[in-house]
Amino acid sequence: MRALVLAVGLVALSLPGFACAVEFSSPKDLLVHIYAGRPSADWTDERSYFSDTMLVLLDADKAREAGGEVRRVQGDAFGRSPGPDGERPFVGEPLIDGIRASAEVTLGEPASIILHFELVMQANGWKIDDIYLGDYGGGGWRLSELLTDDPLLN
């Protein structure tokens, strides 16, 4: 009987959307968790970090690849690689307004890049709703816009 329960549990854990995701009780807890870990081969697989709205956009981007197109977002959008001196990103204190929050993460010293995170509280904890990089000598980007813009029209 134990073997059957274990087998059913392992099968359930392998199903999409059933991963044992950690629920974050604060925006800062979520961001600290992200920056304490190592980037995966494909950061968009880290589904437990993103809001339902962002997941729709990320899934559409993955579907483009399945259709033979190039995905619009590749690499680690969190910028989690340590700087040249091994410095780790600094997670600032979030500004919380009800179920919405914003927070900044500084990458490198001295403040070479600042990522702005927009977060939302959902039934399963705080999630990233968008990421914005300001203008750093060549233009900034907003993750939601990268995922929705048609690159052929730009």
Side-chain angles (χ1 to χ4, degrees):
M1 182 64 173
R2 285 186 195 174
L4 177 61
V5 171
L6 179 61
V8 169
L10 290 174
V11 169
L13 288 174
S14 68
L15 296 174
F18 197 86
C20 291
V22 177
E23 291 187 14
F24 298 97
S25 59
S26 79
K28 187 161 186 170
D29 288 348
L30 169 59
L31 295 174
V32 166
H33 176 81
I34 288 170
Y35 285 97
R38 296 176 188 238
S40 69
D42 180 0
W43 67 274
T44 59
D45 286 337
E46 297 169 325
R47 299 180 61 80
S48 62
Y49 301 152
F50 295 102
S51 70
D52 294 338
T53 303
M54 186 56 66
L55 287 174
V56 169
L57 299 176
L58 292 169
D59 288 345
D61 196 42
K62 279 193 169 191
R64 283 183 197 92
E65 184 176 45
E69 294 181 49
V70 175
R71 287 172 53 184
R72 295 185 181 153
V73 178
Q74 299 177 13
D76 179 21
F78 300 127
R80 287 178 289 194
S81 300
D85 296 326
E87 68 270 9
R88 299 299 302 169
F90 174 76
V91 178
E93 286 300 320
L95 299 173
I96 301 174
D97 184 14
I99 64 166
R100 307 215 49 86
S102 61
E104 293 182 345
V105 174
T106 304
L107 308 173
E109 291 293 331
S112 55
I113 297 176
I114 299 174
L115 287 174
H116 306 271
F117 286 83
E118 296 172 6
L119 303 106
V120 63
M121 173 58 102
Q122 296 186 162
N124 55 348
W126 284 94
K127 304 294 179 181
I128 297 170
D129 206 36
D130 212 347
I131 305 171
Y132 172 72
L133 173 67
D135 187 3
Y136 283 89
W141 53 262
R142 180 175 288 278
L143 182 57
S144 60
E145 290 175 0
L146 290 175
L147 292 168
T148 56
D149 284 348
D150 185 343
L152 298 176
L153 298 177
N154 293 330

